[in-house]
Amino acid sequence: MANSTEAQKPQNPKKNKKKGATLDTFYGTKIQNTEEIEDNAQENPPKPSKGNGNSPQTHEEFESEMTKKMEAFWEEKWEIMQKKFTHLQNRCDQTEKENQALKARIRQLEENDRVKEQELIKQSQNTKKLEENIKYLTNKVTDLENRGRRDNLRIIGLPEKPEINTKLDIMIQDIIKENCPEILEQGGNTATDRAHRTPSTLNPQKTTPRNVIAKFQSYQTKEKIPQEARKRQFRYKGMPIRVTQDLASSTLNDCEAWNMIFRKARELGLQPRISYPAKLTIYFQGKVWAFNKIEDFQLFAKKRPELCGKFDTEKQRARNT
């Protein structure tokens, strides 16, 4: 029996072969390319066949085995990619649904905004109408109040004493006799229905006497007394007093607002008059002009060179103060 010993081949050092480039998958998984697989096959030669014990694998078997491995590898990676793609598809579908819901919500909000804007416009119109109605009703009430006071006269500066307050009717007759006796000579009815102090309660901190309101029975006689009061200063037992129309407080405030303009217009010879209710009339350039508001008169004065700058109420108030 011949002992055959296989000559031991010298082991060559493995060459440092350049590894093949790596392939990044869709989600970052690194896959070896075919060159790397071939290098591994050369470094690990095929094992002897089980059938023959001595003969190596055939080239066809090797290719078949490598093909199966490659197919299994790629099938595994394909399943992973398909699962992740399905997950992404589901996420995209969900995002699309959320976008549709948000768009519907935005449309609904825009529609609500449009409806609220229309309601706001209607409310603004209703508010404007209500303000106009309130203004009309306020003026109407003021007018009715003034008409209810048309038979009254207000006497200002009359001394306030207990013996005078109990005899206001007699005192008014004495004022008429002293200041305008011609009314009595013409047979005018100077009788009064009632006379009282206003306000009804005396304010101890106020030093000036309260006004006296007198209601006359004859409207004609009542109109003659303030006409005479405009001509001369009325007095009561030598003490100066004033006699004016009894008007609503709002109308009196309007009249006071015209006083400054009234005095200046009188200085300029415009023949001013304050007629009922708190309306200023002037005679300018051969015409009679009437103004219900100070703003209207100031605008009129600005457009006329003869009057421009002469009715600046703010400057006049500063001078008076």
Side-chain angles (χ1 to χ4, degrees), residues 99-289:
N99 286 340
Q100 294 296 333
L102 288 174
K103 288 180 181 179
R105 181 63 177 167
I106 290 172
R107 285 194 296 269
Q108 183 65 30
L109 290 174
E110 289 177 350
E111 184 65 25
N112 292 343
D113 245 0
R114 194 177 298 109
V115 173
K116 288 181 180 179
E117 187 176 356
Q118 293 175 356
E119 291 178 355
L120 184 62
I121 292 173
K122 291 181 181 179
Q123 289 179 358
S124 300
Q125 293 174 352
N126 293 336
T127 302
K128 187 176 180 180
K129 290 180 180 178
L130 288 175
E131 290 176 352
E132 292 176 355
N133 291 338
I134 291 173
K135 184 177 180 180
Y136 170 77
L137 292 174
T138 303
N139 294 334
K140 190 70 174 177
V141 170
T142 303
D143 181 68
L144 291 173
E145 184 178 358
N146 289 327
R147 291 180 184 277
R149 295 169 180 244
R150 63 181 180 177
D151 294 334
N152 299 350
L153 284 179
R154 182 181 292 263
I155 304 173
I156 304 170
L158 197 64
E160 186 167 0
K161 297 178 181 179
E163 60 273 14
I164 294 178
N165 292 338
T166 57
K167 301 178 181 179
L168 290 176
D169 295 338
I170 300 174
M171 184 177 55
I172 291 171
Q173 299 298 324
D174 294 340
I175 292 173
I176 296 173
K177 290 178 183 179
E178 182 178 352
N179 295 279
C180 45
E182 60 273 9
I183 296 177
L184 297 175
E185 294 174 359
Q186 295 173 1
N189 183 10
T190 60
T192 57
D193 286 338
R194 57 184 176 273
H196 65 279
R197 293 274 185 179
T198 181
S200 58
T201 304
L202 178 64
N203 186 2
Q205 297 180 354
K206 192 172 182 180
T207 57
T208 58
R210 292 175 293 172
N211 298 341
V212 174
I213 305 296
K215 180 177 175 59
F216 286 80
Q217 294 180 356
S218 173
Y219 177 76
Q220 290 77 12
T221 302
K222 172 258 174 186
E223 284 293 308
K224 291 179 181 179
I225 295 175
Q227 289 176 3
E228 295 295 328
R230 295 190 192 100
K231 298 177 182 178
R232 56 184 176 274
Q233 176 69 54
F234 272 31
R235 295 181 177 275
Y236 175 70
K237 295 182 179 180
M239 184 177 295
I241 59 173
R242 288 174 53 203
V243 178
T244 64
Q245 298 283 350
D246 180 35
L247 300 173
S249 58
S250 59
T251 306
L252 290 175
N253 293 334
D254 292 339
C255 291
E256 290 177 1
W258 284 109
N259 285 339
M260 195 174 296
I261 296 175
F262 185 87
R263 290 193 295 269
K264 188 65 177 179
R266 180 179 290 176
E267 293 175 2
L268 296 175
L270 299 178
Q271 303 177 12
R273 288 187 59 189
I274 295 181
S275 57
Y276 176 84
K279 180 172 67 174
L280 177 68
T281 59
I282 62 172
Y283 185 79
F284 180 71
Q285 293 181 351
K287 295 181 180 179
V288 177
W289 304 83

Side-chain angles (χ1 to χ4, degrees), residues 74-89:
W74 284 110
E75 285 179 0
E76 182 182 358
K77 297 303 178 184
W78 174 254
E79 289 178 359
I80 294 173
M81 289 168 52
Q82 195 169 10
K83 288 180 181 178
K84 292 190 176 182
F85 179 76
T86 305
H87 177 69
L88 275 181
Q89 186 66 32

